[in-house]
């Protein structure tokens, strides 16, 4: 029974991921019609797309503080409300100014969710299944992205961009309604001094045995890290976790995933897919691979551990990118470029989906001591959004400067850097009680 409650809590909190995926994915199709209705020039179109990322940076930057001050549950409910308001306002926008403002608001909500959803799930999960449950959040992101592709496709015929943007209100309501009856994270309760309530929640999660006592002892140990604001940064354990968290968050982006997610159809056009609908269909195929391969992480992450999946995933991404680089350099060399590009991109995305995609979020939610978790997750997630912004802004420029093959080769090199970083700095956190991770890693 308690496990069922944990699974329910994880699935509802994962709706934050669904909104994240949907709202970052939906705009690429919607903007094709918005530009006509509002008469946008290319600069303004790019701004309509990227303003959401600016909101994400602000939302992620403040989410940790909010989650530490008001609790994980309330912050997630707030995220749902902000999402809903942003979705309705953007769907009803009479002009570009309101549209920009409401997309910015949606970005703030995505920023909140991207910090607090994995944080809440990680904190309510028993150690032995924590990796799988936090991976549910990534699974929801991938479903959101795929749903956005499908919705864009369905409403493209009538140019109904307001429906595309407005439909996000449905999961927002589900997130709010689902979170209301759920319990607060025991870790937050403990940190806020509500020791009895925290103990009760821990018993609901772990039952009455040793696991509850062990988790409580680890929390007490973790709270020895100095209290208060930015001062926690003086602790070596926190500085170490901050370094690893930020680096992982940035590496997840600079290995190029969102060039495929945001620009997939354009890459397929470069590879010789001549009709727009063939490119969109190929992109939907990539979206399906992204969803399905995330299941590999859900099933295996707590069995084989985080690092083996990361190594396998990054190696596969490296191979996919090299194949793409060679295919563009040789123009397919006999084999048709289009199918080779499609196969390479599927390999690349599939390997991201069971490696860097879920596991970066899992690790970011695990490596910080309780006292610094809000701040640490905020900083790492903010770094993830900033890196996302730069990679997606400069992708077309990189293609112009380095060429197609040079660009994918650069991402391939960054996969190698990521593998070396993981080997050198990332701890294996499989089945470890949350607060022990940082204590062990910092003293090793
Ligand atoms: C990343 C996103 C990306 C998505 C793709 C997430 O883990 O943070 O930037 O779009 O995976 O599935």
């Amino acid at each position: 029974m308690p496990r069922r409650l944990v699974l329910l809590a994880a699935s509802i909190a994962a709706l934050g991921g669904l909104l994240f995926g949907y709202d970052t994915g939906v705009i690429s199709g919607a903007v094709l019609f918005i530009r006509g209705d509002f008469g946008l020039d290319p600069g303004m179109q790019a701004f309509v797309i990227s303003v959401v990322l600016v909101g994400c940076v602000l939302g992620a930057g403040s989410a940790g503080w909010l989650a530490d001050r008001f609790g994980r549950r309330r912050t997630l409910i707030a995220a749902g409300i902000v999402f809903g308001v942003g979705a309705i306002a953007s769907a009803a926008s009479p002009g570009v100014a309101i549209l920009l403002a409401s997309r910015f608001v949606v970005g703030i909500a995505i920023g909140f969710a991207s910090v607090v959803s994995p944080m809440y799930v990680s904190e309510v999960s028993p150690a032995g299944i924590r990796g799988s449950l936090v991976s549910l959040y990534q699974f929801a992101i991938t479903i959101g992205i795929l749903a956005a592709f499908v919705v864009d496709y369905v409403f493209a015929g009538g140019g109904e961009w307001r429906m595309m943007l407005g439909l996000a209100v449905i999961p927002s309501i589900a997130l709010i309604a689902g979170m209301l009856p759920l319990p607060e994270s025991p870790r937050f309760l403990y940190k806020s001094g509500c020791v009895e309530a925290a103990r009760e929640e821990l018993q609901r999660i772990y039952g009455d045995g040793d696991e509850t006592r062990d988790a409580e002892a680890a929390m007490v140990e973790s709270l020895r890290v100095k209290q208060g604001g930015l001062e926690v940064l003086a602790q070596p354990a926190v500085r170490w976790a901050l370094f690893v968290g930020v680096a992982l968050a940035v590496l997840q982006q600079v290995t190029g995933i969102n060039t495929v997610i945001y620009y997939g159809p354009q890459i397929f056009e470069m590879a010789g897919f001549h009709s727009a609908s063939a490119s969109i269909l190929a992109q939907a195929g990539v979206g399906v691979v992204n969803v399905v391969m995330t299941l590999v992480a859900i099933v295996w992450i707590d069995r084989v551990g985080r690092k083996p999946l990361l190594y396998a995933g990054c190696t596969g991404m490296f191979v996919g990118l090299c194949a793409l680089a060679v295919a563009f350099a040789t123009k397919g060399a006999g084999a048709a470029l289009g199918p080779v590009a499609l196969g390479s991109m599927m390999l690349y995305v599939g390997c991201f989906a069971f490696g860097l995609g879920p596991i970066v979020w899992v690790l970011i939610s695990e490596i910080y001591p309780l006292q610094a978790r809000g701040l640490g997750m905020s900083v790492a997630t903010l770094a993830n959004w900033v890196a996302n912004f730069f990679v997606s802004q400069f992708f077309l420029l990189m293609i112009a400067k380095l060429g197609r093959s040079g660009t994918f080769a650069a991402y391939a090199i960054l996969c190698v850097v990521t593998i070396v970083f993981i080997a050198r700095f990332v701890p294996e956190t499989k089945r470890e009680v949350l607060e022990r991770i940082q204590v062990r890693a910092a003293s090793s």
Side-chain angles (χ1 to χ4, degrees), residues 20 138 141-142 145 252-253 257-258 261 290 352 357 361 384 388:
F20 166 170
Q138 172 72 16
I141 296 178
T142 61
I145 293 173
Q252 190 206 45
Q253 294 298 321
I257 185 63
N258 286 315
I261 302 292
N290 196 16
F352 175 88
W361 296 113
N384 184 269
N388 184 340

Side-chain angles (χ1 to χ4, degrees), residues 177-193:
M179 282 310 295
L180 280 172
L182 285 180
E184 181 48 276
S185 142
R187 263 94 189 172
F188 170 74
L189 291 171
Y190 207 91
K191 178 169 127 49
S192 324

Side-chain angles (χ1 to χ4, degrees), residues 188-202:
F188 170 74
L189 291 171
Y190 207 91
K191 178 169 127 49
S192 324
C194 308
V195 177
E196 261 320 302
R199 203 166 287 148
E200 268 168 38
E201 291 308 338
L202 279 179

Side-chain angles (χ1 to χ4, degrees), residues 70-122:
F70 301 106
R72 293 32 172 157
R73 186 178 147 273
R74 285 201 196 121
T75 310
L76 268 175
I77 294 172
I81 296 171
V82 180
F83 261 125
V85 171
I88 294 169
S90 50
S93 304
V96 71
I98 305 278
L99 180 66
L100 285 172
S102 47
R103 290 295 294 164
F104 176 71
V105 168
V106 165
I108 293 178
I110 301 177
F112 285 173
S114 59
V115 173
V116 189
S117 289
M119 180 191 290
Y120 177 81
V121 177
S122 178

Side-chain angles (χ1 to χ4, degrees), residues 383-401:
N384 184 269
W385 286 114
V386 172
N388 184 340
F389 178 81
F390 280 107
V391 172
S392 41
Q393 289 299 301
F394 291 117
F395 174 63
L396 294 178
L397 194 70
M398 268 178 87
I399 296 266
K401 294 272 177 228

Side-chain angles (χ1 to χ4, degrees), residues 23 36 60 211 279 293 393 412 423:
D23 268 313
E211 256 188 302
S279 293
M293 293 304 283
Q393 289 299 301

Side-chain angles (χ1 to χ4, degrees), residues 5-15 120-121 124-125 133 136 182:
L5 177 72
V6 170
L7 186 61
L8 183 72
S11 311
I12 291 173
L15 285 173
Y120 177 81
V121 177
V124 298
S125 301
L133 293 182
L136 272 185
L182 285 180

